[in-house]
Amino acid sequence: MRKTLLDRNNNIAILLAGILAIVVGIGVGRFAFTSLLPSMLDGFLTLTYAGILASLNFAGYLAGAVFSIFIKDINTKVKYFRIGMVLSVLTTFVLATTTNETLWLVSRVIAGFGSAMLIIVGTAIVMVKLNFEDKTKAMGIHFSGIGIAIVVSDLISRYVLHGGTWSDAWLVLSLFAFIISFYSVYILSFDKQLKQQAIKHKLSKSIFSPYVVLLILAYFAEGVGFVVQGTFLPDIINSLDGLDGYGSLAWLLVGIAGIPSSIIWMRLAHKYGSINIIIVAMSIQLVGILIPALTNNMYLNLLSGILYGGTFIGLVALFMNLGGRLAAKNPVVLMGAMTATYGVGQVTAPLYCVALIEYFGDYDAALYLTAFIVFTGIVLLVYAKRIEA
């Protein structure tokens, strides 16, 4: 077994390395910020500054997503994957060792770029390396790494916060990311340089049909739907009457619900069609977004975390897998373009959230607007189905 897990061409090792890369880039580099937000808001961050930091993190992610479109050579992808790993570890270490606002702003942008290298470019490397005829189920397992990343980073944060501070948690997370990064870097590389002709593909505008454009716009709406709870969920729950302290439990449930979600959604997509299942998943997510605005019932609000975790990760897998299939010769082109629009939604949402929260004094207006944008995405997908039929 040990030898198998150290074999660069073993499918289990490749999937494990891909999941660990997601733990570093998404768990530590992105979602640990959400886990630690309530404790950082207590005497250090303001909600407005937290929103700006989240927005800048997604701006870096957007830059990485756009950049990834132009990395055509698999050997170059490996290089930028490694750079992403280094950036994710170092920027986490910065949060542990300073409270300088400028350094925090810069580090969140760079962390976002590193995250994009690990999930977009890393996923492309995993897809190339996996030795399966049909990679759909395997990619479902790969994207379950997002749920695992949330759970792992949250449990580490919780453990450290029991006896330490949020800066101690950032330090432990950076050391953890540093240790596990070695395995991913080792496995997700090639024994020798791959020949160029196997991976050189010209960028073709023909893949951007009206159907694909509608799909991309719907993914923008999903980017907005993802980011509001992805940034503020623990604080949203804590702010409700009688639910102070339940935010961290809701966030843990997000990760737990997320682990099997991409596998389940991908299987359903295989049976019932990707677009149909994306519409269903976004509709369920819509309900989860509205729950905290409509009730302070503890069980329903914990359910909102489950509905969020059970959909947003699956939706990433569904959209990315569909994008990869629609641009079979160069999946990273369409996957990168889709993630770029998703990124625009991510950058926009924290900023309008902060503005609405400051104006109204609670999260309700931000949640209603987010739900409306997700609903618009669903309408676009229904229309896309009609023009494709």
Side-chain angles (χ1 to χ4, degrees):
M1 181 70 174
R2 204 159 120 206
K3 190 179 176 187
T4 302
L5 290 178
L6 292 175
D7 179 358
R8 284 175 168 164
N9 300 309
N10 178 268
N11 286 327
I12 295 170
I14 294 163
L15 286 169
L16 177 60
I19 288 168
L20 290 177
I22 291 172
V23 170
V24 174
I26 302 298
V28 175
R30 168 63 197 102
F31 282 124
F33 188 88
T34 307
S35 287
L36 293 169
L37 183 60
S39 59
M40 291 190 298
L41 286 172
D42 187 19
F44 172 56
L45 289 183
T46 63
L47 195 61
T48 300
Y49 187 50
I52 292 167
L53 287 169
S55 188
L56 285 173
N57 181 252
F58 293 126
Y61 189 86
L62 170 58
V66 173
F67 181 77
S68 71
I69 298 170
F70 301 98
I71 312 173
K72 299 178 193 176
D73 173 24
I74 192 68
N75 302 302
T76 310
K77 284 174 189 165
V78 170
K79 183 176 81 175
Y80 278 101
F81 172 77
R82 291 173 177 177
I83 290 169
M85 194 68 80
V86 172
L87 294 177
S88 293
V89 173
L90 288 180
T91 52
T92 307
F93 187 70
V94 167
L95 302 187
T97 52
T98 180
T99 53
N100 182 289
E101 288 192 2
T102 305
L103 285 175
W104 271 59
L105 291 168
V106 172
S107 74
R108 292 316 285 159
V109 176
I110 296 171
F113 182 88
S115 294
M117 293 302 101
L118 293 184
I119 193 157
I120 301 170
V121 179
T123 297
I125 296 168
V126 169
M127 285 180 84
V128 169
K129 283 187 69 85
L130 282 173
N131 184 29
F132 289 117
E133 268 190 45
D134 181 8
K135 298 181 183 180
T136 305
K137 287 180 182 174
M139 294 316 292
I141 295 168
H142 172 72
F143 284 114
S144 72
I146 300 174
I148 293 167
I150 292 172
V151 171
V152 169
S153 62
D154 184 63
L155 289 176
I156 290 171
S157 301
R158 279 163 171 265
Y159 180 77
V160 178
L161 286 174
H162 273 304
T165 63
W166 55 260
S167 57
D168 295 332
W170 282 123
L171 182 61
V172 173
L173 285 162
S174 65
L175 291 172
F176 170 72
F178 176 71
I179 292 164
I180 67 171
S181 67
F182 285 94
Y183 184 76
S184 292
V185 166
Y186 172 73
I187 296 294
L188 296 182
S189 58
F190 297 91
D191 295 322
K192 58 184 179 181
Q193 293 261 311
L194 292 193
K195 290 184 180 178
Q196 298 295 302
Q197 68 264 27
I199 41 75
K200 273 192 177 175
H201 301 292
K202 288 182 181 178
L203 289 175
S204 172
K205 291 178 183 175
S206 64
I207 63 167
F208 294 101
S209 64
Y211 173 75
V212 168
V213 170
L214 286 169
L215 192 71
I216 289 170
L217 290 172
Y219 202 37
F220 162 80
E222 172 50 27
V224 172
F226 151 73
V227 79
V228 176
Q229 288 178 300
T231 302
F232 300 112
L233 183 70
D235 196 53
I236 291 171
I237 305 295
N238 286 342
S239 70
L240 298 172
D241 286 343
L243 297 189
D244 188 26
Y246 283 97
S248 59
L249 175 57
W251 185 248
L252 182 63
L253 291 173
V254 168
I256 293 168
I259 292 170
S261 73
S262 57
I263 300 166
I264 294 166
W265 287 117
M266 294 287 260
R267 284 187 178 176
L268 290 170
H270 184 70
K271 190 171 182 181
Y272 298 106
S274 291
I275 289 287
N276 294 328
I277 294 304
I278 290 171
I279 290 168
V280 170
M282 285 182 73
S283 300
I284 292 170
Q285 185 181 71
L286 179 68
V287 174
I289 291 166
L290 287 171
I291 286 172
L294 298 172
T295 178
N296 63 348
N297 179 280
M298 180 185 73
Y299 296 108
L300 286 176
N301 277 281
L302 292 177
L303 176 64
S304 82
I306 293 168
L307 295 181
Y308 172 65
T311 54
F312 93 86
I313 298 168
L315 281 161
V316 171
L318 289 164
F319 272 104
M320 296 285 261
N321 184 63
L322 183 56
R325 284 195 288 114
L326 290 169
K329 287 186 178 177
N330 199 348
V332 81
V333 175
L334 190 49
M335 284 163 73
M338 288 168 69
T339 306
T341 57
Y342 189 78
V344 173
Q346 289 176 317
V347 172
T348 311
L351 299 178
Y352 78 64
C353 279
V354 165
L356 289 171
I357 294 158
E358 282 197 346
Y359 187 79
F360 289 103
D362 59 33
Y363 283 97
D364 290 1
L367 292 169
Y368 285 131
L369 179 56
T370 303
F372 175 75
I373 292 168
V374 172
F375 177 73
T376 305
I378 295 167
V379 172
L380 290 173
L381 289 169
V382 171
Y383 183 66
K385 255 189 77 175
R386 286 182 62 189
I387 64 169
E388 187 69 3

